[in-house]
Structure formats: C-alpha cells, structure tokens
C-alpha cells in the first residue's frame, strides 16, 4: 500500500512539473496523506488479526484443557452413572416394601459374605420387610458373642432383635487378608456416601464388562467403568438365578441389583416415608395458617384502609372568620375532618 501511494505521488509530481510548479506542493501533501492513511489501515488490520488469533488460541486452549480434564475425571472418578426412574423417588412416593424384602434376601445370600451392616439392627426390619416372628427367626439363625458370664468368660448365643446384623470379619485386618488387600466397605450408609447414590450402586452392580482395546487390568481386578479408576477388586456377583426369592419373583441380575439397591437406600434413609408424610402435613398446616392470617388481616384492616377523610372547608372558613373576630376566645380554628 505504501509503495502504491509513493508511485501515485511520483506520477502526480511529474504531471505537476509539466503543468507548472504551483501544483507540486499540494500534490505531494495529498500523496503523503494517502500514504499515512494506508499505513494506519494496514496497522489496524494487523491488530485485528493478532487479536483474533490470540482469542482463537485462548479458546482452543480452554477447550482442549476441558477435554483433557473431563477425560482425566472419567478415568479418576469413574463414568457418571445414568439416572433411573426409582419408584420411591417422588415427593408423594414411598418405598416398595416387597423390593426391600427381596433386597435383604440378596444381601443375605450374596453380599453378607464380605460386606457388613454395622448400623442396622434386626428390629428395624419389623414392619418394613418382615413380621416380628419372621425377624426373630432370622435373628436366631445367627450367633452373637456376648458376655462375660458369671465366670468371666465370653459365650455365644442366638441372635435377638436388639442385635446388629453380623459382621463377616472380626476386624479390618482380617477383611483385607481375605480379600487380597481390599477392604469391603460397610453398606449401611453406602447409598448416601456415593455421588448419585442409588443410581451409582445400580450402575456399578450391572456395569461389569470386558475392558476395551488399549486398557489392561491387572490380575485380581475386574473392569467396571463406573468404579473410580475403572478396576475393582469385587467380581461380578449378581447373575441370573443367583438368589432364591421367597415370593417367586424371577431373580434376574438386573432385578437383584434393583432390589438390593432399594434395600441399601432404605438402610441409609430408613425414615424417608415418615419424613415425607410429616412434611406434607406441615405444608398443609402452614397453608391453613397462612389463609387464616390473611383473612384476619383483611378483616382487621379493611375498615381502616377503606375509610375516606373529607375536609369541611365551608365550616372551616366560618370558624376562621369568627376566630379572627375574637368570638372563639382567641383560639385558632383548624381544618375539620370528617371520617366517612
């Protein structure tokens, strides 16, 4: 652009020289002005290009970092579990007690060999999954270490409703030794201790698969994309027909996963139904109180808010005149107001 402007200036100078000396300086000034304008335009265009390039690089860096971060999170935290339509999830919904009963059977026949329920007692199952007699029979099938007795020795006795559900291992060291160094967590509060709770549990129990190409899992671990890191020490435990339901429900793997997830959700939130009923009652009572207060407020304030104040200017003028004549003992008359 600058070279073109200089060339135009030279041609102008040549024509000016042929036409006369008087046009040389104006032509040179115009040439320099056009050259400076072209330089400014070129500089502005270069600045815009640099700004666009910088913005594009920044966006590309942010987008690339987000992809890397999401991939790292997926590897480190596990694949995010999908959302499942649980029948007890709504505000006006309650637990499926048949599913809780089947879920306890899945726990007893499959999960209790490794996992404990330290915060669940047999008495909590009464009226929820079993009758009192059924719960007593289940508790009596277990042996509880108690004591000391009169001789100062510990002894074993049949379980009672007041006892906790038995722990499969005496301590953490025994649990790790029996499971190759992995410690099976207690399942009492597992539904609330994991992100997306019941959805995570169901996805984990049904998410076992062969590792994809390029991913190797060391011996003793099993690939599950929903577990943090993708490798879990627990093998796939739920298979079709792996549990004997006493109500005749077909024991598919997904049915067992659904029932045991419902049971573990109940162990974490055993008073969920009662709290919802209490909350509904509280909301209804609150609405009734709000209606009563609103009606009382309108009843109390309606006469005051609907009244009118009328200024009797005629009588005020007469009173003012009489006050001026001294007929009112020298007291000034104010504007009389009448409430209507």
């Amino acid at each position: 652009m600058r070279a073109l402007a200089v060339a135009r200036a030279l041609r102008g100078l040549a024509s000016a020289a042929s036409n006369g000396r008087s046009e040389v300086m104006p032509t040179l000034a115009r040439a320099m002005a056009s050259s400076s304008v072209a330089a400014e335009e070129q500089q502005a265009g270069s600045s815009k290009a640099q700004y666009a390039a910088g913005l594009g690089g920044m966006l590309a860096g942010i987008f690339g970092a987000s992809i890397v971060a999401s991939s790292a999170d997926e590897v480190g935290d596990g694949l995010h579990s999908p959302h499942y339509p649980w029948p007890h999830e709504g505000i006006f919904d309650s637990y499926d007690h048949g599913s809780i009963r089947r879920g306890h059977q899945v726990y007893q026949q499959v999960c209790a060999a490794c996992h404990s329920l330290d915060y669940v007692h047999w008495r909590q199952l009464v009226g929820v999954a079993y009758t009192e007699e059924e719960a007593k029979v289940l508790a009596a099938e277990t042996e509880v270490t108690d004591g000391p007795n009169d001789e100062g020795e510990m002894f074993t006795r049949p379980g009672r409703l007041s006892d906790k559900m038995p722990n499969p291992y005496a301590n953490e060291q025994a649990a790790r030794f029996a499971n190759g160094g992995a410690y099976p967590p207690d399942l009492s509060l597992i539904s609330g201790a994991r992100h997306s709770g019941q959805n995570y549990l169901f996805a984990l129990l049904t998410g076992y698969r062969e590792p994809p190409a390029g991913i190797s899992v060391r011996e003793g671990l099993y690939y599950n994309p929903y577990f943090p890191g993708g490798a879990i020490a627990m093998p796939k435990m739920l298979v079709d027909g792996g549990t004997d339901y006493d109500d005749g429900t077909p024991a598919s793997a997904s049915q067992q996963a659904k029932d045991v997830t419902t049971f573990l959700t109940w162990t974490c939130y055993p008073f969920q139904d009662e709290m919802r009923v209490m909350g509904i009652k509280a909301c209804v009572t609150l609405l009734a109180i709000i209606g009563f207060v609103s009606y009382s407020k309108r009843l109390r304030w309606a006469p005051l808010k609907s009244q009118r104040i009328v200024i009797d200017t005629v009588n005020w003028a007469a009173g003012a005149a009489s006050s001026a004549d001294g007929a009112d003992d020298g007291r000034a008359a104010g504007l009389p107001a009448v409430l209507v």
Side-chain angles (χ1 to χ4, degrees), residues 129-176:
Y130 302 98
T131 63
E132 183 176 354
E133 290 72 18
E134 290 175 333
K136 286 182 178 180
V137 171
L138 291 174
E141 292 176 354
T142 62
E143 290 187 352
V144 178
T145 302
D146 202 351
N149 56 15
D150 296 338
E151 299 177 355
E153 296 180 355
M154 304 300 290
F155 62 93
T156 59
R157 60 168 176 81
R160 296 192 291 256
L161 291 180
S162 58
D163 295 326
K164 297 190 301 183
M165 291 191 177
N167 197 317
Y169 302 104
N171 48 57
E172 180 179 344
Q173 288 72 19
R176 290 187 180 278

Side-chain angles (χ1 to χ4, degrees), residues 106 238-245 248-256 259:
V106 175
L238 301 181
V239 295
D240 294 341
T243 303
D244 295 329
Y245 286 144
T249 301
S252 62
S254 59
Q255 181 67 45
Q256 296 174 67
D259 292 334

Side-chain angles (χ1 to χ4, degrees), residues 86 202 205-206 238 252-262:
W86 298 98
F202 184 84
L205 293 173
T206 58
L238 301 181
S252 62
S254 59
Q255 181 67 45
Q256 296 174 67
K258 181 255 186 184
D259 292 334
V260 75
T261 300
T262 302

Side-chain angles (χ1 to χ4, degrees), residues 254-275:
S254 59
Q255 181 67 45
Q256 296 174 67
K258 181 255 186 184
D259 292 334
V260 75
T261 300
T262 302
F263 171 71
L264 295 178
T265 303
W266 171 81
T267 61
C268 185
Y269 307 104
F271 304 107
Q272 176 176 286
D273 291 350
E274 290 79 0
M275 289 189 296

Side-chain angles (χ1 to χ4, degrees), residues 49-61:
Q50 293 176 356
Y51 176 76
L55 181 61
M58 182 177 65
L59 294 177

Side-chain angles (χ1 to χ4, degrees), residues 2-334:
R2 187 183 295 274
L4 181 60
V6 173
R8 290 178 179 176
L10 293 177
R11 286 198 299 269
L13 289 176
S15 61
S18 61
N19 294 332
R21 297 289 181 177
S22 59
E23 296 181 359
V24 172
M25 293 307 295
T27 304
L28 182 60
R30 288 194 299 270
M32 295 302 294
S34 62
S35 176
S36 61
V37 170
E40 292 177 357
E41 292 178 353
Q42 184 178 5
Q43 184 177 4
S46 177
S47 300
K48 291 180 179 179
Q50 293 176 356
Y51 176 76
L55 181 61
M58 182 177 65
L59 294 177
I62 294 175
F63 182 70
S66 64
I67 293 178
V68 173
S70 62
S71 301
D73 290 341
E74 182 175 333
V75 173
D77 299 334
L79 186 65
H80 185 72
S81 57
H83 180 78
Y84 299 101
W86 298 98
H88 54 266
E89 198 172 25
I91 298 177
F92 300 101
D93 296 330
S94 62
Y95 283 122
D96 180 1
H97 292 264
S99 183
I100 294 177
R101 181 185 179 107
R102 294 191 299 269
H104 177 255
Q105 294 171 5
V106 175
Y107 169 77
Q108 272 196 313
Q109 300 178 32
V110 179
C111 309
C114 299
H115 296 275
S116 61
L117 287 176
D118 288 338
Y119 301 102
V120 180
H121 296 72
W122 290 106
R123 66 176 181 270
Q124 294 177 254
L125 297 175
V126 176
V128 176
Y130 302 98
T131 63
E132 183 176 354
E133 290 72 18
E134 290 175 333
K136 286 182 178 180
V137 171
L138 291 174
E141 292 176 354
T142 62
E143 290 187 352
V144 178
T145 302
D146 202 351
N149 56 15
D150 296 338
E151 299 177 355
E153 296 180 355
M154 304 300 290
F155 62 93
T156 59
R157 60 168 176 81
R160 296 192 291 256
L161 291 180
S162 58
D163 295 326
K164 297 190 301 183
M165 291 191 177
N167 197 317
Y169 302 104
N171 48 57
E172 180 179 344
Q173 288 72 19
R176 290 187 180 278
F177 179 78
N179 293 277
Y183 180 59
D186 181 79
L187 300 182
S188 303
L189 306 176
I190 195 69
S191 181
R194 298 294 183 268
H195 176 68
S196 194
Q198 52 194 355
N199 295 316
Y200 166 77
L201 293 178
F202 184 84
L204 180 71
L205 293 173
T206 58
Y208 287 90
R209 62 195 67 180
E210 293 295 326
I215 295 180
S216 59
V217 180
R218 69 178 177 86
E219 185 179 358
L221 298 180
Y222 305 89
Y223 180 73
N224 192 318
Y226 298 102
F227 188 77
I232 185 173
M234 181 180 72
K236 182 179 181 180
M237 301 299 298
L238 301 181
V239 295
D240 294 341
T243 303
D244 295 329
Y245 286 144
D246 58 4
D247 61 356
T249 301
S252 62
S254 59
Q255 181 67 45
Q256 296 174 67
K258 181 255 186 184
D259 292 334
V260 75
T261 300
T262 302
F263 171 71
L264 295 178
T265 303
W266 171 81
T267 61
C268 185
Y269 307 104
F271 304 107
Q272 176 176 286
D273 291 350
E274 290 79 0
M275 289 189 296
R276 285 178 177 173
V277 172
M278 186 180 299
I280 293 173
K281 291 180 179 179
C283 290
V284 172
T285 304
L286 184 61
L287 289 176
I289 292 175
I290 291 175
F292 176 75
V293 171
S294 300
Y295 176 77
S296 300
K297 181 256 184 186
R298 290 179 62 87
L299 184 65
R300 174 71 65 177
W301 287 94
L304 299 177
K305 288 187 175 182
S306 62
Q307 68 183 5
R308 293 184 302 165
I309 300 177
V310 179
I311 306 300
D312 192 354
T313 57
V314 176
N315 295 331
W316 173 80
S322 62
S323 297
D325 295 338
D328 198 18
D329 297 333
R331 292 177 294 179

